[in-house]
Amino acid sequence: MEIEKLIVKYLVGCLSKEEDQTLKKWLQEDESHQLFFHEVCSNKNFLAAYRQYNQGNLKSRKAFHKVWSTLHKDDVDSLKQRKIKLFHYWQRIACSLLILFLFVGGGYFFYDSSRIIPGESKAFLTLEDGSARQLKKSGQEHWIYIGNTPIAKEYDGMIVYHITNESPDITYQLNTLSVPRGGEFRLTLSDGTKIHLNSESELRYPVSFKGQENRMVELKGEAYFEIAKDSLHPFKVITQGLLIQQLGTVFNVKSRAEGKVEVALVEGSIGIYPRSQEMQTILPGQLAVWNESKNILSVENKELLSHTAWHFNRFVFYDESLGHLMEELALWYNVDIDFLDESLKKLHFTGSLYRYDDIAVILNAIEETVNVDFKISGLRIKIDRKNK
């Protein structure tokens, strides 16, 4: 069956345009296909072993084969449901084929990337009085106070709001969580809504929604929302003048470029209110794009993995321009990008990459697929055409 080969080629970043279209069509045919594809792409043990294997030494190859062998074992008790059986069957085939591709695929190119590290959990929390504190991932728990009242607990790269002794003065105060380049952070609002903020993003929200008719937040940048259900109090996101409203659902909002907002709906339904226009309803599996200069909100059915993969610790690119791809890497790795040939920005790449990989692994995957050379100098990456 050719589809297994396409999945493997996707993982190593070498799909052709025609193969990419075939894979997309297969993903849309059945929910079980999407389930399998997502599980293979997000299997941490498998991906870690693959990265070690790709470095080419004997110890790393043994580590990869150990995981591969584990994936081949059938746990009878866990294979009672048809979809789970299907997943394990395809996963074993994909792992076997990946070994073949790695043997044939060639070497591993190293870059002087010692100073470039992936993003990490870090942010700045600013209270309404202007006081600010730095947040970062640690093994310790810390309470955050307004006056003598504890409002939230910070731990393990996230902040969770939980107010036991509310007062009107505290309830309506606004907090601002700002995530810099090379960072990410998670928070849980007082109503239980979970939000994952991407690099160079900012969220403004009340300490508590108690007593408020609407649950409203303001976003700059990109965030993945999992809204706590509350049929009496709609949840609203405002970004660049666009209003997104729902009661309980899962969606991603990207609002980086001035005058452009992308909303990818994973679960539930939402209403979007463009400026001076009536609400448009968006359904699961649809991508809504607001273009302010044209005053148009376009909606289309689309494979959303490339828009939500960052939340699951991956970069997924479907026929993406190298210019946009490098913008994403620049934000996450906090580096500067120089295209020595501007036309290279228009080259396209398809692939799935682990978000916490050494940047050398990612650059190698791109270089093997796209006709470019990367040169790293400190925290700057220069991109030129091969054999120039």
Side-chain angles (χ1 to χ4, degrees), residues 85-285:
K85 286 183 179 180
L86 193 61
F87 163 67
H88 281 273
Y89 167 71
W90 278 336
Q91 189 178 53
R92 290 196 298 272
I93 293 177
C95 291
S96 302
L97 285 170
L98 182 55
I99 289 176
L100 174 62
F101 270 87
L102 291 173
F103 272 125
V104 175
Y108 179 83
F109 297 88
F110 290 93
Y111 301 88
D112 180 16
S113 58
S114 56
R115 293 180 58 190
I116 299 177
I117 60 174
E120 58 184 349
S121 295
K122 58 183 178 182
F124 292 92
L125 177 66
T126 304
L127 305 182
E128 190 163 280
D129 63 5
S131 62
R133 63 180 293 169
Q134 185 175 5
L135 308 178
K136 59 183 180 179
K137 190 171 185 176
S138 69
Q140 297 180 331
E141 296 184 357
H142 302 280
W143 276 98
I144 297 171
Y145 290 81
I146 293 180
N148 295 321
T149 303
I151 60 168
K153 184 181 291 186
E154 175 201 353
Y155 62 95
D156 198 29
M158 68 179 70
I159 180 172
V160 178
Y161 281 79
H162 179 67
I163 304 174
T164 56
N165 183 23
E166 294 182 81
S167 68
D169 292 339
I170 292 177
T171 296
Y172 293 102
Q173 288 195 25
L174 295 175
N175 284 185
T176 301
L177 191 66
S178 305
V179 180
R181 282 167 59 99
E184 65 176 340
F185 215 80
R186 298 172 186 263
L187 72 154
T188 300
L189 299 179
S190 61
D191 66 336
T193 292
K194 296 179 180 180
I195 305 173
H196 185 184
L197 281 174
N198 206 349
S199 300
E200 205 169 64
S201 300
E202 179 180 291
L203 189 75
R204 195 163 182 255
Y205 52 93
V207 170
S208 172
F209 294 114
K210 187 175 181 180
Q212 299 188 27
E213 182 179 348
N214 298 312
R215 298 175 290 164
M216 186 175 296
V217 301
E218 296 179 31
L219 172 70
K220 296 178 182 178
E222 183 171 20
Y224 188 93
F225 292 83
E226 298 177 70
I227 308 300
K229 293 183 178 181
D230 184 345
S231 59
L232 299 179
H233 301 90
F235 194 100
K236 298 181 178 181
V237 180
I238 296 177
T239 181
Q240 296 197 47
L242 195 72
L243 174 62
I244 305 164
Q245 175 179 307
Q246 62 333 110
L247 300 174
T249 187
V250 178
F251 61 98
N252 190 82
V253 179
K254 187 173 184 178
S255 179
R256 296 195 185 282
E258 187 67 30
K260 182 180 180 181
V261 179
E262 297 178 351
V263 183
L265 181 60
V266 180
E267 296 177 10
S269 64
I270 59 178
I272 298 180
Y273 296 82
R275 294 175 181 173
S276 303
Q277 295 185 27
E278 295 182 356
M279 182 191 77
Q280 291 194 39
T281 301
I282 311 301
L283 302 176

Side-chain angles (χ1 to χ4, degrees), residues 279-308:
M279 182 191 77
Q280 291 194 39
T281 301
I282 311 301
L283 302 176
Q286 292 185 328
L287 176 71
V289 179
W290 165 246
N291 188 316
E292 184 179 22
S293 63
K294 297 181 179 179
N295 195 30
I296 293 176
L297 179 69
S298 61
V299 180
E300 63 177 322
N301 295 318
K302 196 166 185 179
E303 169 54 53
L304 299 181
L305 189 57
S306 61
H307 298 269
T308 60

Side-chain angles (χ1 to χ4, degrees), residues 18 39 66 94 166 181 198 209 211 224 314 360 373 387:
E18 292 73 19
E39 291 296 332
K66 182 178 180 181
E166 294 182 81
R181 282 167 59 99
N198 206 349
F209 294 114
Y224 188 93
R314 295 196 67 77
D373 274 325
N387 303 320

Side-chain angles (χ1 to χ4, degrees), residues 181-183 199-200 256 326-334:
R181 282 167 59 99
S199 300
E200 205 169 64
R256 296 195 185 282
M326 295 309 299
E327 288 177 2
E328 295 294 317
L329 295 184
L331 279 176
W332 180 238
Y333 287 90
N334 194 19

